[in-house]
Amino acid sequence: LTMKEKFVIAKDADQCIFSADRNIKFLPGQYMEWTLWHKNPDKRGIRRYFTIASSPTEKEMMLGIKFYDQSSSFKKTLMRLKPSETIVASQLAGDFTMPKDKAKKMVFIAGGIGVTPFRSMTKYLLDKKEKRNITMFYANNSFAEIAYRELFEQAEKELGMKIHHVLKDTANVPTHFAYKKGLMDAETIRREVPDYKERVFYISGPKGMVDSFKKALSDLGVSRTHIKTDFFPGFV
């Protein structure tokens, strides 16, 4: 894949857009192994698994990447990648995909940049004008860290998706913006999604968040077969 452009999508997070030399067929929510050769790689190496942020309906391949002060040599190299430079993507995989039954009701639970598979799914549904019964909870530390906000607002208007934002830090939040202060918990799900036992849950974010919600949903009586998890390697 060839780097086309890169721009900021949230605090400390960029969208990397690549052009491909061939048509890549994938399902919204799947991931690939990304290899970036660079000098003196650290112990985390030259490969990462990243979920594809783009939809199959889009021509380019996209990644949503969170950067940290202590980012790996891989991420630092990716951050410096210039247009026309390349990265290798291979080994398409993943079953973190929407049910084939379009009538099946879903809940998306995202933490930070773990929202990228839901960006892929939502863009796909918008482009296909396909309405599904979806409630989404998106947790961030602050308003500035929300990625793809405009896309999800569009999905609310055009598809009827229900979006619930959860923020720890309430500073600098626009007065018109609807959100819940604090932490996501099982009680939030019970209150906002009374038919939760009928839904399929998708959880993507830091490992601690994913494990916590998997347990919380099990405690609520949600069947294991209705819980799909995706530890998002983009955090490491």
Side-chain angles (χ1 to χ4, degrees):
L1 303 177
T2 302
M3 170 67 79
K4 186 174 180 180
E5 62 177 313
K6 182 167 69 235
F7 54 86
V8 176
I9 53 172
K11 180 183 177 183
D12 300 323
D14 284 3
Q15 179 94 313
C16 298
I17 302 179
F18 302 90
S19 59
D21 60 0
R22 69 196 68 183
N23 183 34
I24 301 174
K25 295 183 179 180
F26 63 95
L27 297 174
Q30 290 192 302
Y31 64 86
M32 297 184 79
E33 182 185 64
W34 302 73
T35 302
L36 183 58
W37 294 94
H38 56 281
K39 292 182 179 179
N40 303 315
D42 59 24
K43 63 182 180 181
R44 286 174 280 187
I46 62 171
R47 294 181 176 86
R48 288 289 185 284
Y49 289 102
F50 289 120
T51 298
I52 304 167
S54 48
S55 161
T57 55
E58 296 174 296
K59 291 182 180 180
E60 291 86 10
M61 297 290 284
M62 304 179 190
L63 292 180
I65 306 291
K66 181 81 170 179
F67 294 100
Y68 301 91
D69 292 338
Q70 300 299 322
S71 287
S72 64
S73 63
F74 180 102
K75 280 195 175 181
K76 288 177 181 177
T77 304
L78 180 59
M79 189 162 49
R80 293 191 298 265
L81 206 63
K82 298 175 181 177
S84 80
E85 294 184 322
T86 60
I87 187 171
V88 175
S90 61
Q91 300 191 49
L92 175 70
D95 60 359
F96 196 76
T97 55
M98 292 184 288
K100 292 182 179 179
D101 181 0
K102 296 178 182 180
K104 197 68 182 177
K105 294 183 284 187
M106 294 175 279
V107 174
F108 295 164
I109 300 177
I113 201 62
V115 75
T116 54
F118 303 130
R119 190 272 176 200
S120 176
M121 294 175 188
T122 301
K123 178 61 175 170
Y124 177 84
L125 295 174
L126 281 166
D127 287 346
K128 293 291 187 179
K129 301 187 187 306
E130 182 180 311
K131 292 186 176 182
R132 295 205 189 197
N133 191 322
I134 299 172
T135 297
M136 176 175 167
F137 297 94
Y138 186 12
N140 282 284
N141 288 320
S142 67
F143 177 80
E145 294 179 53
I146 299 173
Y148 311 119
R149 180 168 53 86
E150 294 82 2
L151 182 79
F152 295 125
E153 289 176 352
Q154 182 185 355
E156 281 189 293
K157 295 176 182 177
E158 297 182 14
L159 302 179
M161 280 180 62
K162 296 179 181 178
I163 313 295
H164 299 275
H165 289 279
V166 182
L167 302 175
K168 291 181 183 178
D169 182 359
T170 60
N172 302 314
V173 179
T175 54
H176 69 278
F177 187 73
Y179 68 97
K180 175 185 179 294
K181 179 181 178 181
L183 299 173
M184 267 287 296
D185 55 23
E187 185 53 40
T188 303
I189 294 171
R190 193 199 304 270
R191 182 178 63 253
E192 301 294 345
V193 193
D195 60 349
Y196 62 88
K197 288 188 178 181
E198 302 171 18
R199 294 178 178 260
V200 179
F201 284 79
Y202 293 75
I203 315 170
S204 178
K207 187 176 187 304
M209 188 206 90
V210 171
D211 291 343
S212 174
F213 271 100
K214 186 175 181 181
K215 182 180 185 304
L217 291 172
S218 295
D219 292 345
L220 283 175
V222 177
S223 169
R224 285 185 183 179
T225 59
H226 282 199
I227 303 174
K228 298 175 77 72
T229 61
D230 187 34
F231 162 53
F232 195 70
F235 284 95
V236 297

